Amino acid sequence: MMKSGFRLIATQTVAELASKAHTYEHEQSGARLVYLENDDDNKVFSITFKTPPADHTGVPHILEHSVLCGSRKFPLKEPFVELIKGSLNTFLNAMTFPDKTMYPVASQNDKDFRNLMDVYLDAVFFPVIYEQPEVLMQEGWHYELEAPEGELTYKGVVYNEMKGVFSSPESLVERKTLEVLFPDTTYHFESGGDPDFIPQLTQEQFLDFHRRYYHPANSYIYLYGKMNIEEQLAFLDEAYLSRFQRQEGFVAEIERQSPFAAPLEVVVPYPVDASESQEGKAFFGLSQVVGEACDAELGLAFAILNHLLLGTPGAPLKQALIAAGIGQDVLGRYEDALVQPVFSILVRGAAADAGDKLRQVVRQTLQELVTKGIDKELLEASINRKEFELREANFGSHPKGLIYHIRMLDSWLYGGDPLLHLTYEPLLAKMKEGLGGRYFEELIERHLLQNPHQVLVAAVPEAGLEERRTEELRQKLAQLKGTLAPAEVQLICEQTKQLKARQTKPDSPEALASIPLLALKDIEKKVTRIPQQQRQVEGRTVLLQPIFTNRIAYVNLYFDTTAVDQADLPYLFLLSSVLGKVDTCDGSYQQLAKEINLHTGGISYQTMALPKAYDAEAYKPRLLVKSKALLQKAPQLFRLLRSVCQGSRYDNLARLKELVAESKARMGLVMLEYGHTVALSRVLSYVSPVESYNESGVFTYYRFLEDLERNWADQAEQTSAALQRVAQRVFCLDRLQWGVTCEEEQYAELEPLLQQFAATLPAGGLPSVSYRFELQAANEGLMTAGKVQYVAKAYNFAKLNYAYTGSMKVLETVLRFDYLWNRVRVQGGAYGAFARFDRNGNLAFASYRDPNLQETLQVYGEMEDYLRSFAVSEREMTKYIIGTMSQLDAPLTPSMKGEKAELMWLIELTWEQVQQERDAVLSTNAAKLKELAEVVGACMARNHICVVGNAGKLQEQAGLFGKLVSVFS
């Protein structure tokens, strides 16, 4: 049967997703399409292309950025950004994988959904890259030279993004793993781009890649949700696919790698600061190729095995490696988005010569599991945890439909059934059958112990490596410039000038008008309230959110931590790191982890301070225990919560030492890979009491862990006593407030369990203490051996007598996707930048993977002038408002709804106030944003800055800082 040029191939019910799957082929162009029909109003569209790289230049990644920089119907510089500014999207992005590039969008609004489809389809099929070489220069790389006598440098968004990626030793291990495991296939090459190779990409190679791969015959089109499919198919055919003919002889197969005869081993250096110790800072990845992507049974089995072997505190392989002293932190990764999936054991914080011992312990442990058999209860726990994840389908802010599409591509892209990884019920049954025999033991023996297609990659620290490479690049570019004729130098200057002219030239009103736009009347004026009831249990408040949860109970315990002395705050953050990972009065931590996975969907712990709404000074410190379980498993959940909160033991000093090392290794990764959060946390701690409290769990906490690990022998007993002391001050009845999300009639089953739990808590009665933080502008430069910077500047406008308004949410949108996007990303070459205005007055700006430092601070400083002259059309203002509303109205899962309502109650934010903010957003105009120039200018004038970044770069501009500090010692 034909519909608008599409032939329906098959229709199949997918009971697991409450959906019908319709598979189509577009006869003329050869495009494939799957539509998952269901009642979800959060509709998803995606078009994906198979894009196997043949070198390290990152052409798939650069093209992903570039096609969204203008197209035939939408001739703007940044249609992608215009959509973010002005659509009701619930997801809008593009993603490059090792062998595919995906362009997904989502929206709950029918008109908006069609608009998003139209812009994305025009972008991928008809981009302006053929007429405007400046796009490659901006998004990929270019020679930067503003004057003939200047220094020749490289610049480009992807170039700097990948410099940031390659600053992480863990990313280096992952990259080298694929390169070595697949020497003869496309996975040998870095699809994201290696900064050493990106400048080899030419304009012609760039365009050839698009010509070859961006054709409907090489596309995988996906639609999901409640929609009129006939209308969507007609649109796809008439507007786009009917313009293409099938490609005769086109082949884009992903090759299989022949198996190895013997394992390999590779060592790669990574840079550390000259002042930094190199001891115990190697990273290892022991990886093996496991089966085929289209083997769904093996894929699910290995996801379970990964969790069983390495995914919990009591996991046998993780435990064996930690006990052998091989590393500070051990985790597993099963990468199934490849035609030949890869199972990896990753070890952080190891000695450089630990490789042989790592192999030995892994082999010995796996052999013991095969010989003696896997603990059936442990195996059942891992199967239960995976089943809970599949049935809950809670992907946070990502639409369910998007995640289902990604899973589909794990078979569809390789010629398999697109539904292979979605119809999981028969596979789960097979996993449960495996409990009765040696199913999983045989998988370990066949795919791990008897599999020589393996590589051990070690990333070892090398002091001065980044400085040497930076100098070598400078000399290389200087030598290159010296070989150029004056006319060639002038040409580069002209190209730099032309690029800057394109970047700074505003889009014409006609071009801007080409982007379809909703009207403000399409926006719901009233805020959608989350229902909440207040109950009492043993005199303590229970916040009940009566919401349909498919018989899952979400139970949050908020413990007031103000009885903890300020000197003990580091131990409070450590407490939330060790809970659930130490022995309890009821048994070992291994048994605890097993039971949590057997009976629940997980229990997690977080220490935080919540700012009181609209108050610059007041805040509420809490330790949050988040938990979830099927309603029939609620008794076991509460038994486990009791065991953790009241029965945890902190007297096993050897175990505490392991957990301190693990926490330090994980926080060290945060310092490297999330420098923007570190810089923001630190700069806001100069001015905000609540941020000073929370910063105690970031850089200050990392330094505490470093000292604790270094002096463990002297501090072990003290740490044990401090954890016990803190726990006694936190887990008290008078410190507890509950949050429960489930259906109202189901709460009756939970209330007796809440009463039993509360009755066993000590009464408490300890007084609260006051915390005093020294608030002053330290203006630190936090030095690493990374290749990029994270530049933050902040202040609190409430301290300057300015009040928060909902219009500030619109200003965030304007600054992030206009001013900062253009100045810091487009012109500056950083990967990103953003603005933040909080109800308590905190105002902050930060950049991400930024090649610059002083230049970015200058951009922040000039923001006031930009706002004072801010003038846009009514249409553009509408766009900013709609883009802001898309963030405010992002769809929430049941657990997210529950937590949002609970946090509103805690910070004393009412729905009336939220409605006032919404009204302010909807009534924002250019004049109101101009008025905020004074707020921004006053805050920027206080000059509170913090930068995390390359030591050499920070030292060159040392005059900007109050002090320079090495992040790692």
Side-chain angles (χ1 to χ4, degrees), residues 461-477:
E462 184 178 321
L465 178 62
E466 184 55 32
E467 291 81 354
R468 190 175 73 248
R469 287 176 172 171
T470 300
E471 185 54 34
E472 287 173 354
L473 180 57
R474 279 179 179 163
Q475 291 180 12
K476 173 187 171 183
L477 289 171

Side-chain angles (χ1 to χ4, degrees), residues 73-102:
K73 287 171 62 176
F74 309 105
L76 301 89
K77 292 183 295 181
E78 304 274 358
F80 172 73
V81 180
E82 295 304 317
L83 285 177
I84 296 176
K85 289 179 190 174
S87 85
L88 288 175
N89 73 85
T90 55
F91 188 88
L92 182 74
N93 212 331
M95 296 169 277
T96 302
F97 294 80
D99 55 14
K100 61 181 174 284
T101 308
M102 179 186 292

Side-chain angles (χ1 to χ4, degrees), residues 288-543:
Q288 291 175 270
V289 174
V290 176
E292 293 268 339
C294 290
D295 188 340
E297 181 183 323
L298 183 64
L300 181 58
F302 254 88
I304 292 166
L305 269 179
N306 179 43
H307 182 267
L308 182 147
L309 294 172
L310 296 151
T312 71
L317 187 50
K318 177 187 179 82
Q319 199 174 348
L321 289 165
I322 293 291
I326 291 173
Q328 297 172 330
D329 189 19
V330 177
L331 62 155
R333 182 171 291 130
Y334 178 63
E335 178 55 73
D336 54 358
L338 306 167
V339 71
Q340 293 170 283
V342 173
F343 172 69
S344 298
I345 301 160
L346 303 173
V347 179
R348 300 168 179 157
D353 61 356
D356 289 342
K357 190 175 182 183
L358 168 61
R359 282 188 191 274
Q360 178 186 342
V361 171
V362 168
R363 186 161 195 85
Q364 180 180 328
T365 305
L366 294 178
Q367 190 62 64
E368 286 180 6
L369 289 171
V370 169
T371 303
K372 298 178 181 178
I374 300 170
D375 178 339
K376 297 301 181 186
E377 201 175 46
L378 183 64
L379 183 53
E380 185 183 353
S382 289
I383 294 172
N384 176 80
R385 186 61 176 268
K386 188 63 183 177
E387 180 175 5
F388 191 98
E389 290 173 6
L390 290 169
R391 297 195 189 287
E392 184 187 27
N394 183 351
F395 307 111
S397 60
H398 290 85
K400 285 192 292 188
L402 170 63
I403 305 303
Y404 295 151
H405 180 43
I406 292 173
R407 288 180 181 169
M408 286 170 61
L409 287 166
D410 291 345
S411 54
W412 195 16
L413 195 79
Y414 311 120
D417 177 0
L419 306 179
L420 192 65
H421 296 289
L422 299 181
T423 51
Y424 57 77
E425 290 289 4
L427 301 176
L428 272 175
K430 190 71 181 281
M431 300 301 107
K432 292 174 181 178
E433 285 174 23
L435 281 167
R438 289 181 48 80
Y439 179 88
F440 286 93
E441 288 85 350
E442 288 170 2
L443 287 181
I444 291 174
E445 187 163 32
R446 182 165 67 256
H447 292 284
L448 298 180
L449 289 172
Q450 297 176 0
N451 178 7
H453 198 162
Q454 178 189 100
V455 64
L456 177 66
V457 178
V460 298
E462 184 178 321
L465 178 62
E466 184 55 32
E467 291 81 354
R468 190 175 73 248
R469 287 176 172 171
T470 300
E471 185 54 34
E472 287 173 354
L473 180 57
R474 279 179 179 163
Q475 291 180 12
K476 173 187 171 183
L477 289 171
Q479 289 170 2
L480 171 63
K481 186 184 174 190
T483 66
L484 299 176
E488 293 173 307
V489 172
Q490 191 58 45
L491 177 61
I492 293 175
C493 291
E494 276 302 311
Q495 290 171 335
T496 302
K497 184 178 178 181
Q498 288 169 9
L499 175 60
K500 291 186 181 298
R502 182 186 189 273
Q503 292 170 337
T504 55
K505 182 181 178 182
D507 287 311
S508 69
E510 295 76 18
L512 289 169
S514 69
I515 293 287
L517 186 65
L518 300 177
L520 287 183
K521 64 180 176 60
D522 297 319
I523 307 295
E524 174 57 52
K525 303 297 186 292
K526 298 295 182 184
V527 68
T528 302
R529 301 191 177 205
I530 299 167
Q532 186 178 71
Q533 303 171 8
Q534 290 187 30
R535 307 290 180 93
Q536 292 288 312
V537 168
E538 298 292 330
R540 306 306 299 166
T541 300
V542 179
L543 299 174

Side-chain angles (χ1 to χ4, degrees), residues 113-185:
F113 184 66
R114 171 62 61 82
N115 293 345
L116 294 170
M117 285 177 61
D118 196 14
V119 175
Y120 262 47
L121 285 163
D122 205 63
V124 298
F125 289 129
F126 304 108
V128 300
I129 58 175
Y130 291 91
E131 298 83 40
Q132 297 185 21
E134 294 85 5
V135 174
L136 170 59
M137 293 173 65
Q138 173 181 293
E139 297 300 319
W141 77 278
H142 66 274
Y143 291 118
E144 179 93 354
L145 187 64
E146 296 192 6
E149 64 277 8
E151 181 183 6
L152 186 67
T153 60
Y154 290 136
K155 221 171 190 182
V157 172
V158 170
Y159 177 76
N160 286 311
E161 177 189 352
M162 296 310 294
K163 281 176 70 176
V165 171
F166 278 43
S167 293
S168 162
E170 195 158 318
S171 295
L172 284 173
V173 168
E174 291 174 23
R175 173 59 247 150
K176 204 67 180 179
T177 294
L178 292 186
E179 185 178 314
V180 177
L181 280 177
F182 300 98
D184 307 315
T185 82

Side-chain angles (χ1 to χ4, degrees), residues 39 88 432 579 620 691 836 845 940 950 961:
D39 289 330
L88 288 175
K432 292 174 181 178
L579 286 171
K620 299 182 178 183
E691 296 297 342
R836 171 178 153 188
F845 308 109
M940 292 298 95
N950 177 264
F961 302 102

